Every structure is written in structure tokens, then in C-alpha cells.
Amino acid sequence: MDVLTSEQRSRNMAAIKGVNTRPELVVRRMLHSRGFRFRLHRKDLPGRPDIVLPKYKSVVFVNGCFWHQHAGCKFAGKPISREEYWNSKLARNMARDADNISKLTELGWRVIVVWECELRDADTVATRLANCLKQCA
């Protein structure tokens, strides 16, 4: 049973942003401070990647652990209420992610996924991103 009224829950869910989220801004700052230049949310690419680095033919998705169901992550728990709804919604998100990654790979793009929980150790993520991108150069 939800502790919030339906109006409160609706307002809460409506406030969740899809772009320019805090984890996304952290990754953008990381890349920019290391000299990488990028574009944001290109609509002409499958899945509208969060960060696009055309020079490196690479895209970065910054995924929330809950919304994209990060396997084995403690932040990827499923809600207790309306289980059927949430199970199907989160399964659709995961299927859409896999489809978009597949399409981008077929188009010749390198896909890098950064999970929200990984940003707790930002230095490791920054090093991983830099290494991946430098291999492309």
C-alpha cells in the first residue's frame, strides 16, 4: 500500500526528470574537464543517447539503476505496490535499452553505459570513460 495519495504520487513521479539529471551532469563535467567535447541527446540516433562524442564515434548512456534495472544493484529494487504494472514497465525499459544498444552498434557506434551507482566512485568512472574513448581515437 502506498503511503502517498494518488495526487502526491502523481506530482512526485512528474517531477522525475528524463534529461539533465544529476548523474548525467556529473558525467558531462567529468568528460569536459578531461578535454572531451560532445553533443547532447541527438534525436537522430536510436535511444537519444545522453552524451554523443562524434569524434570518437561513441555514445554514453547514463542510466538510473531503478529505471533501467541494473542487475545485482541494491538500488534496482522493484516497488511492492502495483507489481504487475511495474514489472511490465521496467521490463519494457530493459528491452528498449537492449534494442537501442543493438541498433547503435549496427550503425558503428561504440556504446558506453554508466550506472548511477557507479558514480559513487567518480574517479574510477572517469578513468574508464577516458580509456574507452582514447582507444577509439
Side-chain angles (χ1 to χ4, degrees), residues 49-68:
D50 299 313
I51 300 168
V52 181
L53 298 109
K55 177 179 178 180
Y56 302 94
K57 192 87 172 170
S58 299
V59 299
V60 179
F61 286 102
V62 183
N63 287 348
C65 296
F66 170 74
W67 293 106
H68 299 271

Side-chain angles (χ1 to χ4, degrees), residues 63-79 86-95 97 113 115-117:
N63 287 348
C65 296
F66 170 74
W67 293 106
H68 299 271
Q69 289 295 289
H70 186 196
C73 179
K74 69 179 181 179
F75 303 110
K78 293 185 180 170
W86 282 108
N87 287 339
S88 69
K89 176 168 184 54
L90 297 173
R92 284 192 315 267
N93 287 353
M94 292 169 51
D97 290 344
V113 177
W115 293 97
E116 181 180 19
C117 65

Side-chain angles (χ1 to χ4, degrees), residues 7-27:
E7 293 82 22
Q8 290 171 325
R9 177 61 61 202
S10 179
R11 194 170 43 252
N12 186 13
M13 296 304 284
I16 296 171
K17 300 191 298 183
V19 295
N20 299 326
T21 60
R22 185 172 292 131
E24 189 180 322
L25 294 174
V26 168
V27 173

Side-chain angles (χ1 to χ4, degrees), residues 56-60 104-105 108-112 131-136:
Y56 302 94
K57 192 87 172 170
S58 299
V59 299
V60 179
L104 285 163
T105 304
W109 289 88
R110 172 178 283 190
V111 179
I112 303 167
N131 290 340
C132 284
L133 295 171
K134 286 178 183 173
Q135 288 176 359
C136 297

